[in-house]
Amino acid sequence: MAVEAKSLSTPLHGMDAEEAELREQLMFDPRPREELNRMVMESMVHTTPRYWAVVAFLAVVVLVCLFGAWGYMIATGIGLAGVRKPVYWGVFIVTFVFWIGISHAGTFVSAILRVFKAEFRRPFTRAAELMTTFGLAAGALYPLIHLGRVWVFYWMIPYPNARWLWPNFRSPLVWDFLAITTYLLSSTIYLYLPLIPDLAMARDRTQGWRHAIYKTLALGWRGTEAEWARLRKAITIFAFAIIPVMFSVHTIVSWDFAVSQTAVWNSTIFGPYFIVGAILSGVSAVVTILVILRATLKNMDYFIRMEHLDALGKLLLVFSMAWAYFFFNDYLVSWYGGYEAVRRVLFFHSSGPDSWIWWSMIIFNVLIPWLTLWNRRIRRTPWAMLIITLLINVGMYFERYTIVPMTLAHQRFPFDWGNYVPRIEIIISIGTLALFILLYMLASRLIPMVPVWEVREGQEAHMIRQIGKAKVPTVSELE
């Protein structure tokens, strides 16, 4: 292992305040390995009656609002939904795009920070990766729900049979099926690889059914030098591979709209516009989850610190600006094109009966981030970041609502105009939100939410060196 020490900043000439501020960073506040392991294990096994009450409530909501309402719609017919001519894509598609967007950003944020060796990533990469898995689990239900006749779902799967019933590869349902399957498989492997050493740690500190599960999942990990070398190589390969997969999959979701002849949808910029929107909503969701984990899980205030909210707040500000750029680029070119049908749809967005949704989208995605996230104090205030990130995700949901039903409701011909009022779709969407939260709460008690070995590795690489009278923060590059 070659070690190369690099100075991180100018020397701290006995400045206790600056050194104290430096010690507030997780990498410069090391604790013994066994204590780190104990803190993470305590966060997994420590539960309260309030926790189980929330889990029971969410389970009931999932049973009633998701599976109960969905089953009732299957038994009664798709007419229970509010989709009518001319709006055949409603809240089901809106919520599908929202969940897929959030899920894409989770693994992407982890991978891109790992590729660029951003040190602040270490304690929260797993929280972001879990968001991807559970977001995909929630979003993957919607092609089935939207299908209506769910019992013929296997028509989306490409397989030969005696009747030559191959799927229609021109259908977005087939594209989404292939895209979601690809991303779910690759992101699950990417989540599992860094988890192996922590599962082995949990295996050595538990008994009973937990020990049996961790022993199986740890794959006999012993922590030899050869195992570490293979693990790091595999993680690096997947980190590079998952980034183009993410771009391609969410571009496919944008093609569900862009390849049509529908006014406003037929845009060449929809691919990058959807990707930037997905990252904005995904990073917002990561911050929301980190704030909640920090407030509810034992010992998480040691691992999740203000420096992490500060760094992610800066990312949010950058992606909010990027989203605004793509949004107004798409809007201005469509408006300036002079095509009357497109102009009418754009005017309907900002001046129609649902224009409050369009204006709320602008306020939540642009004005609020720009007015608040430039301020370091706000970025380091958990409750403020919680409110801002929740509003951004509300704004991103409104963006998808504007793109889908509000656009379809006002197309080229007046006899094809109409209003869309969601009905059972709202209940089912609440059910999938409860499913996402429930899965996350259960996972927080089953797997280590913090990659302990990555935190420990980072703390060993960072130190404050005494050079003469100066104290210099340094980081060693481990190879």
Side-chain angles (χ1 to χ4, degrees):
M1 176 184 297
V3 178
E4 179 187 355
K6 297 185 292 188
S7 171
L8 289 177
S9 66
T10 54
L12 306 175
H13 294 281
M15 298 181 184
D16 293 336
E18 290 189 38
E19 183 180 350
E21 184 177 351
L22 201 60
R23 293 288 182 190
E24 291 179 0
Q25 299 179 24
L26 178 61
M27 293 300 106
F28 291 104
D29 184 22
R31 293 191 182 182
R33 176 179 302 174
E34 190 53 38
E35 185 177 352
L36 292 178
N37 293 337
R38 179 187 57 77
M39 292 169 71
V40 172
M41 290 302 301
E42 280 183 356
S43 70
M44 291 170 56
V45 299
H46 178 75
T47 57
T48 62
R50 182 185 300 176
Y51 168 82
W52 290 113
V54 174
V55 166
F57 173 75
L58 290 171
V60 171
V61 173
V62 170
L63 286 175
V64 175
C65 294
L66 177 55
F67 296 110
W70 185 13
Y72 182 63
M73 190 180 73
I74 292 172
T76 308
I78 197 71
L80 280 179
V83 285
R84 301 281 189 281
K85 183 183 180 182
V87 181
Y88 289 114
W89 283 12
V91 164
F92 289 151
I93 300 299
V94 173
T95 314
F96 164 73
V97 177
F98 176 77
W99 280 121
I100 296 301
I102 280 188
S103 64
H104 281 38
T107 299
F108 171 76
V109 168
S110 168
I112 200 75
L113 294 180
R114 197 186 297 275
V115 166
F116 285 100
K117 298 182 179 179
E119 293 297 320
F120 68 89
R121 77 180 193 280
R122 292 181 181 275
F124 65 79
T125 51
R126 186 159 301 146
E129 293 157 8
L130 275 174
M131 189 183 73
T132 291
T133 303
F134 298 145
L136 283 172
L141 294 174
Y142 279 96
L144 303 176
I145 298 172
H146 178 73
L147 195 61
R149 293 182 294 174
V150 68
W151 53 90
V152 295
F153 78 94
Y154 59 88
W155 286 9
M156 292 188 289
I157 304 172
Y159 66 95
N161 61 73
R163 297 173 61 191
W164 294 97
L165 290 176
W166 283 84
N168 179 8
F169 286 102
R170 292 179 296 178
S171 167
L173 277 174
V174 179
W175 304 352
D176 293 335
F177 175 80
L178 296 175
I180 292 172
T181 306
T182 303
Y183 201 60
L184 181 61
L185 181 63
S186 55
S187 60
T188 302
I189 296 174
Y190 183 69
L191 165 68
Y192 182 63
L193 285 174
L195 192 55
I196 293 175
D198 292 325
L199 290 172
M201 179 273 292
R203 173 200 61 195
D204 298 338
R205 289 164 178 79
T206 52
Q207 297 178 343
W209 63 271
R210 280 181 179 268
H211 176 77
I213 293 175
Y214 297 142
K215 181 180 179 181
T216 304
L217 295 177
L219 303 176
W221 175 268
R222 294 176 298 160
T224 64
E225 191 168 342
E227 288 176 337
W228 280 112
R230 286 195 292 268
L231 179 68
R232 287 196 173 91
K233 187 176 294 184
I235 292 175
T236 303
I237 292 172
F238 267 87
F240 278 98
I242 203 81
I243 295 172
V245 172
M246 176 269 178
F247 276 86
S248 62
V249 170
H250 210 59
T251 302
I252 290 174
V253 174
S254 76
W255 288 348
D256 289 353
F257 307 92
V259 297
S260 72
Q261 293 299 316
T262 305
V264 176
W265 284 4
N266 188 227
S267 168
T268 58
I269 208 172
F270 255 33
Y273 176 43
F274 269 52
I275 289 172
V276 169
I279 297 174
L280 176 61
S281 62
V283 175
S284 300
V286 169
V287 175
T288 302
I289 288 172
L290 291 183
V291 172
I292 295 174
L293 287 179
R294 187 176 188 275
T296 56
L297 274 185
K298 192 174 182 181
N299 300 323
M300 280 301 113
D301 54 346
Y302 171 78
F303 294 102
I304 309 298
R305 304 194 178 197
M306 297 307 106
E307 56 168 316
H308 305 116
L309 301 183
D310 187 28
L312 290 172
K314 293 175 184 174
L315 271 181
L316 275 177
L317 184 58
V318 170
F319 282 109
S320 172
M321 292 177 177
W323 180 88
Y325 166 75
F326 280 103
F327 172 77
F328 287 107
N329 193 320
D330 180 58
Y331 187 94
L332 288 176
V333 171
S334 299
W335 175 81
Y336 193 75
Y339 189 34
E340 188 57 29
V342 173
R343 282 194 173 187
R344 277 202 303 265
V345 174
L346 295 178
F347 182 78
F348 180 75
H349 285 172
S350 58
S351 306
D354 295 330
S355 59
W356 63 274
I357 293 177
W358 191 87
W359 288 106
S360 299
M361 171 190 73
I362 300 296
I363 293 170
F364 293 162
N365 289 348
V366 179
L367 288 184
I368 288 179
W370 291 17
L371 292 175
T372 56
L373 293 178
W374 61 271
N375 188 305
R376 183 173 183 267
R377 180 175 296 179
I378 292 178
R379 293 196 306 270
R380 288 173 167 259
T381 306
W383 65 265
M385 291 298 290
L386 179 66
I387 294 173
I388 293 169
T389 52
L390 286 174
L391 289 178
I392 289 176
N393 264 316
V394 171
M396 288 308 302
Y397 193 89
F398 285 169
E399 182 226 33
R400 279 69 181 252
Y401 194 91
T402 301
I403 290 175
V404 184
M406 285 178 64
T407 299
L408 290 175
H410 210 81
Q411 279 298 307
R412 291 180 172 81
F413 304 108
F415 64 82
D416 215 18
W417 295 352
N419 291 322
Y420 169 68
V421 180
R423 297 161 64 185
I424 198 170
E425 299 98 309
I426 300 293
I427 299 174
I428 294 178
S429 299
I430 292 172
T432 51
L433 175 63
L435 175 67
F436 176 82
I437 300 173
L438 176 64
L439 292 175
Y440 217 103
M441 288 189 68
L442 294 176
S444 69
R445 297 305 192 275
L446 292 175
I447 64 174
M449 294 299 291
V450 174
V452 188
W453 67 271
E454 285 200 79
V455 172
R456 181 63 186 163
E457 183 183 69
Q459 289 183 339
E460 288 181 352
H462 290 71
M463 64 179 61
I464 301 175
R465 296 178 185 274
Q466 185 78 36
I467 302 178
K469 295 182 179 180
K471 295 176 181 177
V472 183
T474 62
V475 58
S476 302
E477 188 169 336
L478 304 176
E479 296 178 357

